[in-house]
């Protein structure tokens, strides 16, 4: 395994040779060190911290300063893994605000890629950000920041029109310059089709095994939310001797295509 830092170009090369990308969320330096040592390729300082760290029921209360703080903690712990950080709720409500917010995540938080939720309405913002040299990870499908608009954490893209909109937005994001795409809670067949269509790597969560990589919320895959973890997640800690072993087993399961399995795959 190469010890060179992982960049968006590394991930594109992994996609080209069919090597799956292992990604986990992370919110602090100690876990970042552990994830990195276990071979995680991409560490996401996700706004899921609002739920699993801050104890809120949604990600909406998370503010930009929280994201910059946690991204900076992660940046101090990780080694070669690529650091992606989330723009929180409304931090990209206008292109100007998005540029300012992304600047803080990169300059204060040490993020190398900035992730934002949203489809068609965000395409111009992505174009503006990438034009300024900000690497972007787009996020389509279930958009947790839109939970109140959607009316709950629901699977997306099940009917023809919704699937078509996600397909269209994915291509538009790539054309606007995004380097990565996260697809959350969409049918496996749709995620596979988009993965084959796009040149940029697609990381799935609740989107089946046909994506170029997988991401899970760290605390879910460590079984810290018994009874509340989503059905597409897996407790990798049970049966392992340590957290490091659990993370290594996740990386192996993603790389070999063993995770997600049939029961963890939405249709
Ligand atoms: O914030 C987060 O953890 C995320 C993942 C669920 C992809 O966006």
């Amino acid at each position: 395994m190469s010890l060179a830092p992982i960049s968006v170009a590394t991930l594109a090369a992994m996609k080209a040779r069919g090597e799956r990308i292992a990604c986990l969320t992370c919110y602090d330096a100690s876990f970042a060190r552990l994830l990195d040592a276990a071979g995680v390729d991409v560490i996401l300082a996700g706004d899921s911290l609002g739920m699993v760290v801050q104890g809120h029921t949604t990600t909406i209360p998370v503010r930009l300063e929280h994201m910059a703080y946690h991204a900076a903690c992660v940046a101090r712990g990780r080694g070669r893994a690529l650091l992606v950080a989330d723009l929180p709720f409304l931090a990209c409500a206008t292109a100007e605000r998005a540029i300012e917010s992304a600047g803080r995540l990169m300059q204060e938080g040490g993020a190398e890629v900035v992730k934002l939720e949203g489809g068609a309405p965000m395409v111009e913002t992505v174009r503006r950000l990438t034009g300024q040299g900000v690497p972007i990870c787009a996020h389509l499908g279930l958009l947790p920041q839109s939970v109140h608009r959607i009316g709950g954490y629901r699977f997306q893209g099940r009917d023809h029109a919704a699937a078509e909109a996600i397909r269209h937005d994915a291509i538009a994001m790539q054309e606007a310059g995004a380097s990565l795409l996260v697809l959350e809670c969409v049918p496996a067949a749709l995620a596979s089709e988009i993965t084959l269509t796009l040149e940029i790597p697609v990381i799935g969560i609740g989107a089946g095994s046909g994506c170029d990589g997988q991401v899970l919320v760290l605390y879910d895959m460590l079984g810290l939310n018994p009874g509340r973890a989503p059905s597409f997640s897996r407790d990798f800690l049970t049966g392992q001797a340590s957290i490091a072993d659990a993370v290594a087993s996740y990386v192996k399961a993603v790389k070999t295509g063993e995770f997600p399995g049939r029961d963890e795959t939405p249709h």
Side-chain angles (χ1 to χ4, degrees):
M1 186 173 80
S2 160
L3 292 179
I6 294 176
S7 66
V8 289
T10 316
L11 300 181
M14 287 170 76
K15 173 170 179 132
R17 60 175 184 266
E19 183 185 340
R20 290 191 173 90
I21 299 162
C23 175
L24 281 175
T25 69
C26 182
Y27 319 102
D28 68 45
S30 297
F31 269 113
R33 210 169 290 120
L34 187 148
L35 265 51
D36 207 290
V40 171
D41 302 302
V42 178
I43 296 182
L44 169 64
D47 64 353
S48 51
L49 71 86
M51 298 170 82
V52 299
V53 175
Q54 297 176 332
H56 297 295
T57 54
T58 72
T59 59
I60 289 168
V62 178
R63 297 210 303 270
L64 186 61
E65 49 266 43
H66 302 152
M67 290 312 309
Y69 171 82
H70 283 279
C73 295
V74 172
R76 286 191 281 271
R78 66 83 210 237
R80 64 186 291 270
L82 183 76
L83 175 53
V84 180
D86 263 337
L87 281 171
F89 183 60
L90 294 184
C92 46
T94 64
E96 283 64 34
R97 192 157 170 205
I99 291 169
E100 207 174 301
S101 304
R104 284 193 63 187
L105 289 186
M106 295 183 80
Q107 294 183 310
E108 292 172 35
E112 293 156 323
V113 175
V114 170
K115 178 162 85 60
L116 55 81
E117 294 184 12
M122 298 310 299
V123 170
E124 193 45 39
T125 297
V126 170
R127 206 183 309 282
R128 292 276 304 277
L129 285 163
T130 56
Q132 295 293 326
V134 178
I136 291 296
C137 175
H139 182 152
L140 299 174
L142 173 61
L143 309 176
Q145 292 170 12
S146 301
V147 59
H148 295 315
R149 183 180 58 75
I150 304 164
Y153 294 103
R154 299 175 199 282
F155 268 80
Q156 302 294 309
R158 281 214 157 110
D159 63 66
H160 179 77
E164 192 47 42
I166 294 172
R167 234 181 249 120
H168 177 272
D169 290 351
I171 293 169
M173 285 296 177
Q174 173 173 282
E175 285 174 353
S179 302
L180 289 174
L181 172 66
V182 164
L183 276 182
E184 179 165 358
C185 292
V186 300
L190 175 64
S192 295
E193 186 199 321
I194 291 173
T195 301
L196 288 173
T197 303
L198 294 192
E199 284 165 24
I200 60 172
V202 177
I203 313 286
I205 174 164
S209 61
C211 300
D212 299 306
Q214 299 293 325
V215 59
L216 283 179
V217 170
L218 178 64
Y219 293 12
D220 288 343
M221 61 78 72
L222 292 177
L224 295 183
N225 288 316
R228 281 193 295 166
S231 58
F232 54 76
S233 191
R234 185 189 295 179
D235 173 358
F236 281 87
L237 184 58
T238 298
Q240 297 290 340
S242 67
I243 291 176
D245 287 352
V247 174
S249 123
Y250 167 75
V251 171
K252 186 172 171 207
V254 170
K255 297 275 178 192
T256 58
E258 190 265 315
F259 177 80
R262 179 184 286 269
D263 293 347
E264 297 143 341
T265 297
H267 295 285

